[in-house]
Amino acid sequence: MATITRVTRWGGYPAWAWILQAASGVLLVVLLSLHIIAQHFVAPGGVLDYGGVVAHLRNPVIFVLETAFAGSVLFHVFAGVRAILLDLAPSKAQERSINVILTTLGVGLFVYGLVLTLVVVTR
Amino acid sequence: MTGNGQHNTALRWGDSVRWFDARRRGLGMWAFALNRITGVLLMIYLLVHFVNISVLYLGETAWNQLMDLFRMPPFLIFDVALVLVLLYHGLNGIRLVILALDIGVAQQKRIFWGLMAFGTVVAVFTAFGLFRG
């Protein structure tokens, strides 16, 4: 049997959490590389000063890339935390709480980052 | 979910302790353990990073002072460590995806060390880039 069917099926259902975490991981290799190169290697002295950050984020292409980066990194991180917690064999009720708490944290941080970005580019 | 389909009612403390028992493990198990450890470190970094970019709210002076701090050698050493952790987690992740696609299963140890060698080269270039300024 192909490895992909073993690692991507769990109890007879496709393991969407695993597939999406792998996919977001591959996406992150690209988006994180762009994030680091743009913010820390092109920038003089390794980090952007305030004006540099504003100019960087006001570029619509960069804005879209950084937003996509934030979304995929938060998904990837919280899917990872969920995978660790599910390995501790929680009950169904505990698993539901884990899902609700982690989704809230992930969405909350994404919205917070988006608001921060919009405040910085618009003032 | 256990093999017979039964659910446990509580988190099992014994499992989390056994998880740290690194004896009798092959390369793949070590790679997996390190993947999780680096993953947790990166999660902590991400949360700290959310706090440090929040300084943008405080305005130009506060942000630029923080960046002057980040340009100092102790922080550059931290950046190199961060890059090492990221490279391990990312390259090992690529290995996991490759294996899941059923590619190179027989050569997985060679692929692991090949990716680690590549990561070392990237880390050295990154360290030079960071300290050159």
Side-chain angles (χ1 to χ4, degrees):
Chain A
M1 193 200 284
T3 315
I4 183 87
T5 54
R6 266 187 281 122
V7 296
T8 58
R9 292 189 80 80
W10 188 83
Y13 299 97
W16 289 113
W18 191 94
I19 294 167
L20 289 173
Q21 199 182 10
S24 60
V26 172
L27 188 63
L28 281 173
V29 172
V30 179
L31 292 177
L32 179 64
S33 301
L34 289 172
H35 179 80
I36 292 179
I37 290 167
Q39 308 259 11
H40 301 294
F41 282 90
V42 179
V47 280
L48 290 170
D49 59 15
Y50 191 84
V53 172
V54 174
H56 180 69
L57 292 176
R58 277 189 182 156
N59 180 332
V61 177
I62 301 272
F63 180 86
V64 169
L65 286 174
E66 295 288 8
T67 306
F69 170 64
S72 43
V73 81
L74 285 165
F75 174 83
H76 191 82
V77 161
F78 287 108
V81 173
R82 182 174 170 275
I84 292 172
L85 293 175
L86 292 196
D87 274 1
L88 297 171
S91 68
K92 275 283 168 215
Q94 286 168 332
E95 186 181 329
R96 273 193 297 274
S97 312
I98 288 168
N99 290 342
V100 170
I101 292 168
L102 294 182
T103 307
T104 308
L105 279 173
V107 172
L109 281 172
F110 179 77
V111 171
Y112 176 79
L114 196 58
V115 169
L116 174 63
T117 308
L118 290 171
V119 166
V120 167
V121 296
T122 52
R123 76 179 165 199
Chain B
M1 185 88 87
T2 51
N4 57 13
Q6 275 181 322
H7 255 289
N8 293 286
T9 48
L11 297 178
R12 288 180 303 193
W13 178 245
D15 282 353
S16 28
V17 175
R18 265 196 298 283
W19 198 89
F20 289 97
D21 181 1
R23 293 168 295 177
R24 299 185 302 279
R25 286 180 176 182
L27 178 66
M29 200 64 210
W30 277 99
F32 172 74
L34 208 48
N35 200 60
R36 287 213 154 162
I37 293 165
T38 52
V40 171
L41 291 174
L42 291 171
M43 177 198 70
I44 295 167
Y45 172 73
L46 180 71
L47 298 175
V48 172
H49 194 52
F50 261 90
V51 175
N52 87 51
I53 59 173
S54 298
V55 172
L56 284 166
Y57 272 127
L58 302 177
E60 185 162 4
T61 312
W63 177 260
N64 289 347
Q65 276 172 351
L66 184 68
M67 292 306 106
D68 286 341
L69 185 68
F70 284 176
R71 289 188 185 98
M72 292 170 79
F75 286 92
L76 295 182
I77 291 168
F78 175 85
D79 286 345
V80 174
L82 176 64
V83 166
L84 282 171
V85 171
L86 279 172
L87 280 168
Y88 176 80
H89 194 83
L91 292 171
N92 186 63
I94 288 171
R95 185 187 69 98
L96 292 179
V97 172
I98 290 173
L99 288 177
L101 296 171
D102 234 6
I103 300 163
V105 178
Q107 296 88 31
Q108 67 157 309
K109 286 188 184 178
R110 257 198 284 174
I111 290 170
F112 177 81
W113 291 117
L115 287 168
M116 291 305 111
F118 173 74
T120 307
V121 172
V122 176
V124 169
F125 274 99
T126 308
F128 273 112
L130 282 168
F131 278 94
R132 194 169 39 87

